[in-house]
């Protein structure tokens, strides 16, 4: 696997792909070999990312960081092949780069990469896209959990979620048997109980909530603003928020009345 092949397989935006490939031609990857290898060690990946940014220096539109993440992702392909993980999961996982750049374009009207703080997980073989959902093998306080994430393009219909969870169980049993009995956790604004008053009982989000046992009410969240309203999460002028959907209208009303949305912790029942 090389960067060009990966870019083509994940349909990376042409404008971004050309910049990545142009920079790749003149770059000595030996200068960041240690950092890319450290992505594959969960406890080291954030430190490695920060070191990488320092080494790369000035980085317009974060093209250098994106190139480095893509390079690490091509190395990750070797792990997929060694374990026998199918290409479908590899490319579905790595399409995160294309999705993230699309999201920034929709929000700002400009193509750039802003998610390097997250993609160390994909590049280091810690997170896998399996159907509708993503699954991260996290190592926290010497405990291994599987953290469930909801990509912005997820189909949260009960059938799709059932299929994803079933296939994820098979995936971890087959390729990571050492953690086959690990519990599945989720930390998301989509678990906030306020949504029950804003959506129909049989809506996909409410059906998704029913799968979880809530064990911590978490913290006040603003990230949902990006996903629901296509605004920056720091925007606080709620009066300007769109009202195209019932969810937008209800959350906007909730915010204007002084309400908050929390990022809740739950685990699969």
């Amino acid at each position: 696997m090389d960067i060009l092949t990966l870019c083509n397989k994940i349909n990376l935006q042409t404008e971004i792909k050309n910049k990545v490939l142009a920079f790749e031609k003149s770059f000595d990857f030996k200068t960041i070999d240690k950092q890319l290898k450290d992505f594959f060690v969960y406890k080291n990946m954030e430190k490695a990312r920060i070191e990488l940014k320092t080494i790369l220096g000035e980085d317009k539109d974060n093209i250098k960081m994106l190139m480095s993440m893509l390079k690490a992702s091509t190395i990750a392909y070797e792990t997929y092949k060694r374990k026998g993980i199918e290409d479908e999961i590899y490319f579905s996982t790595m399409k995160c780069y294309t999705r993230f750049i699309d999201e920034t374009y929709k929000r700002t009207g400009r193509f750039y990469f802003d998610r390097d703080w997250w993609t160390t997980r994909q590049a280091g073989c810690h997170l896998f896209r399996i159907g509708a959902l993503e699954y991260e093998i996290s190592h926290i306080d010497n405990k291994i959990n599987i953290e469930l994430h909801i990509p912005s393009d997820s189909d949260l219909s009960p059938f799709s979620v059932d299929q994803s969870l079933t296939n994820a169980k098979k995936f971890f049993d087959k390729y990571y048997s050492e953690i086959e009995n690990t519990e599945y956790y989720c930390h998301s604004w989509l678990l906030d109980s306020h949504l029950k008053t804003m959506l129909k009982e049989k809506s996909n989000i409410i059906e998704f909530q029913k799968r979880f046992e809530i064990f911590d009410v978490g913290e006040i969240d603003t990230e949902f603003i990006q996903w629901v309203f296509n605004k920056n999460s720091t925007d606080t002028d709620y009066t300007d928020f769109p009202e195209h959907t019932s969810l937008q209208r209800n959350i906007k009303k909730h915010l204007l009345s002084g309400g908050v949305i929390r990022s809740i912790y739950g685990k699969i029942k």
Side-chain angles (χ1 to χ4, degrees):
M1 180 66 60
D2 55 41
I3 291 179
L4 174 59
T5 301
L6 177 57
C7 288
N8 288 336
K9 287 287 189 178
I10 65 175
N11 297 315
L12 195 69
Q13 295 83 354
T14 301
E15 176 182 326
I16 295 292
K17 179 178 75 171
N18 290 341
K19 290 179 180 179
V20 164
L21 297 176
F23 186 72
E24 179 197 11
K25 290 179 181 178
S26 61
F27 188 74
D28 181 4
F29 283 101
K30 291 179 182 178
T31 61
I32 59 171
D33 184 64
K34 177 183 182 300
Q35 285 70 34
L36 298 191
K37 287 179 178 176
D38 276 350
F39 285 171
F40 293 85
V41 181
Y42 196 87
K43 66 178 182 179
N44 294 343
M45 63 181 181
E46 177 57 14
K47 180 173 179 287
R49 183 187 72 89
I50 294 171
E51 290 175 353
L52 184 59
K53 291 181 82 73
T54 300
I55 294 169
L56 294 174
E58 184 178 352
D59 191 5
K60 180 175 172 56
D61 295 335
N62 288 319
I63 296 299
K64 296 178 187 178
M65 280 298 289
L66 175 58
M67 179 209 63
S68 302
M69 292 290 170
L70 291 169
K71 179 63 175 179
S73 297
T74 66
I75 298 169
Y77 187 69
E78 298 171 11
T79 298
Y80 278 72
K81 290 294 94 181
R82 186 174 68 252
K83 285 180 170 288
I85 302 172
E86 54 266 38
D87 281 0
E88 180 183 356
I89 290 179
Y90 174 77
F91 290 116
S92 293
T93 300
M94 299 311 169
K95 282 179 180 177
C96 65
Y97 298 107
T98 312
R99 184 175 74 250
F100 292 156
I101 293 167
D102 272 341
E103 289 167 1
T104 57
Y105 181 78
K106 290 175 183 175
R107 195 172 69 253
T108 68
R110 185 165 66 88
F111 286 119
Y112 65 98
F113 179 59
D114 69 346
R115 226 66 63 90
D116 59 81
W117 57 272
W118 183 255
T119 54
T120 51
R121 294 162 173 79
Q122 287 90 340
C125 287
H126 307 295
L127 183 152
F128 305 91
R129 177 77 182 259
I130 303 173
L133 305 171
E134 293 175 328
Y135 301 84
E136 176 186 352
I137 304 172
S138 69
H139 303 247
I140 300 175
D141 297 328
N142 296 317
K143 183 180 179 183
I144 299 177
N145 295 320
I146 296 175
E147 295 189 15
L148 191 155
H149 303 293
I150 307 101
S152 60
D153 61 350
S154 285
D155 174 3
L156 283 184
S157 66
F159 174 79
S160 289
V161 175
D162 280 343
Q163 191 174 47
S164 178
L165 288 169
T166 297
N167 289 337
K169 179 67 166 59
K170 293 177 181 177
F171 175 88
F172 289 110
D173 285 354
K174 183 175 182 180
Y175 301 115
Y176 291 88
S177 58
E178 68 276 15
I179 59 169
E180 61 182 343
N181 295 317
T182 300
E183 292 183 302
Y184 287 43
Y185 290 85
C186 185
H187 177 212
S188 174
W189 67 273
L190 287 169
L191 300 183
D192 191 315
S193 61
H194 286 106
L195 298 180
K196 293 176 181 176
T197 66
M198 303 178 190
L199 296 164
K200 295 179 180 178
E201 185 180 356
K202 291 296 183 180
S203 73
N204 288 340
I205 291 177
I206 301 307
E207 290 297 314
F208 183 74
Q209 286 188 351
K210 292 175 183 178
R211 299 174 185 272
F212 293 89
E213 172 190 339
I214 304 304
F215 64 90
D216 191 324
V217 296
E219 60 285 329
I220 295 174
D221 182 28
T222 57
E223 289 297 319
F224 73 92
I225 290 172
Q226 176 180 342
W227 313 122
V228 177
F229 298 102
N230 199 30
K231 297 274 191 177
N232 290 323
S233 58
T234 54
D235 287 349
T236 56
D237 186 3
Y238 305 140
T239 56
D240 279 348
F241 283 12
E243 300 182 40
H244 304 309
T245 68
S246 59
L247 182 60
Q248 287 179 335
R249 290 190 292 273
N250 288 329
I251 290 184
K252 180 176 178 178
K253 181 179 178 181
H254 178 68
L255 295 173
L256 288 171
S257 66
V260 298
I261 297 293
R262 303 185 73 86
S263 198
I264 307 294
Y265 291 86
K267 65 178 179 178
I268 293 285
K269 292 178 181 177

